[in-house]
Amino acid sequence: MCDSCGCAAGGTEVVIGGHRIVPQTGDAAVLTRLLAENDATAAHNREHIEEHGVLAVNLMSSPGAGKTALLEATIETLHREFRFGVIEGDLETENDAERIRRHHVPAVQINTGTACHLDAEMVHEALHELPLRKLDILFIENVGNLVCPAAFALGQHRNVTLLSVTEGDDKPAKYPVMFRASDLVLITKADLLPHMDDFDPALAEARIRQLASAAPVLILSARRHTGMAPWAEWLRSELSALRARVGTKAAA
Amino acid sequence: MHELSLCRALLKLVEPIARQHAAPVSRVVLRIGPLSGADPALLRHAFPQAAAGTCADGAMLELLLAPLRVRCLQCGAEGDAAVNRLDCAICGATRTQLLSGDELDLLRVELQPLEVKDAHV
């Protein structure tokens, strides 16, 4: 521990029988961040995904906000432009992956059992089942949960959080860790907005800004296919930015 | 409720240290911030379950709560913040930098060598 402020800058301190020990060369490497191992696996995943020039997007929301419906609408709208792949995280069923496969998009289902989130190791295994060299954009649909998934990096380039208009515009204030980690927020089920007089998109956005987040906020309806163009444009610009950085797809 | 996963990650960090020094763990100290996504009460609850049967069986878990502080990128003011109000309390700017508050770090591992324990028995 650092003596001036108590931060862990110097790594973890080891005390044996009341005596602080000085780390020796060859000591077991002491990591400080609790999730250091998950983060290292996530970094490895990202490297592997980038080798193929693929953009990885981690989709998060509460259950029922419309993640799978958004993916289906996105595939329908953009399948001529992008080759998609999907990793589906769900507690129990294979239903979501089956919905995606009906659109002739490769999908790998991860059943997390009792775990309320995906972690980097689960995604690592799923990656080996996907034809990355034939993909442009990989969506990772996380388990529906606005708390736990925020803590676990997977190897994604971007976090996208869905907030449906049936949920309440104060969700960003209630789940700040999740919304703070978001690179883009999609307000979904916009077709229901005329019936939801207690959901104000401007208020939802104001609460996101109060988290010191500059993430763009887009409003769309996957069911009615409205508002899809700005979302498509965001994907387009993220993919081209990634490829400008890592080089274009070598074998495409 | 991912605190059990976090405790397992913690034990993975602690186990090689205990093995290297051939001594069981008596206390583990974490620094945890309000924006870490982990709940202190749930961590305290999960830790004994995760530690049962490991080198940290019966160890104490001590949590040091990190303050939530931001620096305004517009006016430069530094101050305390709330988890859902990270904008600048002075000038209202929504661009701030987190100075402290999202930590989830292993600060200290205390081992109790067996012979020392025996001496007290």
Side-chain angles (χ1 to χ4, degrees), chain A residues 12-13 15 27 32 210, chain B residues 12 20 86 106 108-109 111:
Chain A
T12 303
E13 185 178 276
V15 178
D27 273 5
T32 291
Q210 288 173 350
Chain B
K12 274 193 168 179
Q20 184 194 356
L86 301 169
L106 173 58
R108 189 163 71 240
V109 179
L111 307 172

Side-chain angles (χ1 to χ4, degrees), chain A residues 191-202:
Chain A
D191 52 307
L192 298 177
L193 209 41
H195 310 286
M196 309 301 298
D197 53 6
D198 54 350
F199 188 101
D200 180 355

